[in-house]
Amino acid sequence: MRSAALRPENYLAYNEFLNGVETTYTELKAKRATDRTEAIQNGFLADPDKKVTLDQAITPVGTCTDMCPEFERLERMKQSMVDGAEKVGDGQVSYNPWERDVPAEERMVKRFRRSAAGYDEQLPSDIRTPATLKMTLDYLFDEVVGKAESFAAVQKFVWDRTRSIRNDFSIQQVTEEKDVALAVECFERIARFHIISLHQLSNPEALAGQEYFDAHQEREQLNNTLLSLMYYYDDHRDRIPFKNEAEFRAYCIIFEIQSQHPDLEDRMQSWPKPLLGDKRVQTAFKLYSAAGNTLYDQGPLKPPTPFSIARGNTGGFWRLLSSSAVSYLMACVGEIYFGQVRYIALQNIWKNAKSSPSTRQGTDEWTIAELTKALAFDEDDETIEFVEGFDLSFKSNAQGVEYLDFTCQPSAVLDSAYMFINRKRD
């Protein structure tokens, strides 16, 4: 960490602080060339000019014990790429004539950066140790998220920094029991973070100002995190007991509701019996089966095949989701597929009505209130918006009650859900 003489509160002016950063950055950048040569000579890094076989590949081992490596801290301060969560305000430094937020190195956290042409392989000093990664995650969740004015305000920052934590673990391919245990703990907590994010921030009311939430990217990172966890569980099952494995296997099952590979039941046969017998896993599989698509065949191969265990039992899906057997986080994962479940429910209602005699197609039994119940919306307005998204419309009966008009033609599908899941927190 920077010496006290280089901290912004000990400079008479902010530009002097930046000049000090520039000087130290230049010195450290020159030194890195020597450090890289030594690391290659000592077998800590692969020589980019030499071809090696797979069994000769070198796995880097991190030595950094700071949340952000020294060189990155200097580089980002020099390039003015310090996030607001990594700065301190005017009231927190002794002298700051510009009345502006300034970088605080003790708050800086390594950002995620893709491997790409033009970037040198990271030095061991750029990669954090497993214990440091766990400490960094504690800081992100306890200090950044825990003390933020709103979750939405810091979610993007934490999203990037947790991705960097996962990357540092992956680069090192940890195998020591204590390191694997730390990796699994961190990946489990990060997965929960993504699940919470998908629920909390999919509600537009949770966002303010210029905040933006990309649910697709969030699902992608949740998927990557869960996949890594499954590899850790499978690869180290005989050496390390994983007390939370059933919890995350349950999330994985629910997360596959819309998978194009409807072979989950076959893959589950290789799971240990205690996992298969866990109530959370069994409940998740019931949700998966109930929500399974029965409207069209699936699969990556052609011709597609039917989803053999799919039930299309949307009523059973909502009842089970509302029960105490489903935890808050399981319900949050299930929420991702509310659009599909509602689509199946509406399609079933439509098909049943259209297969009835023409006189039945004029029935007024599917009122807005009944549809709200069948589609598990919180408000009738949500039901109307969803149904009208198919280009369907309503008629009124003699009592002035609106009902679904089965003479319309369906088209697209909408997706909306929030309050239903929030009840699980009570």
Side-chain angles (χ1 to χ4, degrees), residues 121-226:
E121 182 181 358
Q122 295 187 80
L123 295 172
S125 60
D126 296 325
I127 304 170
R128 293 161 293 181
T129 66
T132 303
L133 291 168
K134 197 266 184 184
M135 175 194 72
T136 303
L137 191 65
D138 289 341
Y139 170 78
L140 290 172
F141 288 160
D142 296 342
E143 298 297 320
V144 179
V145 175
K147 297 181 179 180
E149 291 185 4
S150 72
F151 181 55
V154 297
Q155 195 274 344
K156 186 176 181 181
F157 172 78
V158 176
W159 183 92
D160 177 85
R161 273 38 177 190
T162 54
R163 191 177 183 187
S164 174
I165 287 173
R166 291 192 288 116
N167 191 54
D168 272 11
F169 270 119
S170 298
I171 289 172
Q172 298 178 79
Q173 300 179 28
V174 295
T175 56
E176 294 289 334
E177 287 189 24
K178 61 181 178 61
D179 295 337
V180 171
L182 285 174
V184 168
E185 178 187 347
C186 289
F187 276 66
E188 288 176 346
R189 295 169 68 190
I190 291 170
R192 294 188 187 108
F193 164 77
H194 289 305
I195 292 171
I196 290 291
S197 297
L198 279 165
H199 171 56
Q200 294 287 346
L201 302 185
S202 292
N203 173 25
E205 294 181 2
L207 303 175
Q210 301 301 313
E211 294 162 1
Y212 171 74
F213 179 70
D214 189 325
H216 175 75
Q217 284 191 351
E218 202 70 38
R219 289 195 298 270
E220 182 179 60
Q221 294 310 310
L222 173 59
N223 180 63
N224 293 341
T225 306
L226 290 174

Side-chain angles (χ1 to χ4, degrees), residues 219 253-262 288 291-293 296 298 307 336-341:
R219 289 195 298 270
I253 291 171
I254 301 170
F255 198 63
E256 290 209 28
I257 285 176
Q258 211 167 13
S259 172
Q260 292 301 306
H261 302 264
Y288 172 81
N293 168 45
Y296 48 85
Q298 292 179 266
F307 191 170
I336 298 170
Y337 304 105
F338 279 12
Q340 174 177 319
V341 176

Side-chain angles (χ1 to χ4, degrees), residues 83-102:
D83 191 273
E86 300 173 313
K87 297 179 179 180
V88 291
D90 181 45
Q92 296 172 274
V93 294
S94 58
Y95 186 68
N96 188 1
W98 277 270
E99 297 185 354
R100 62 194 294 179
D101 291 348
V102 295

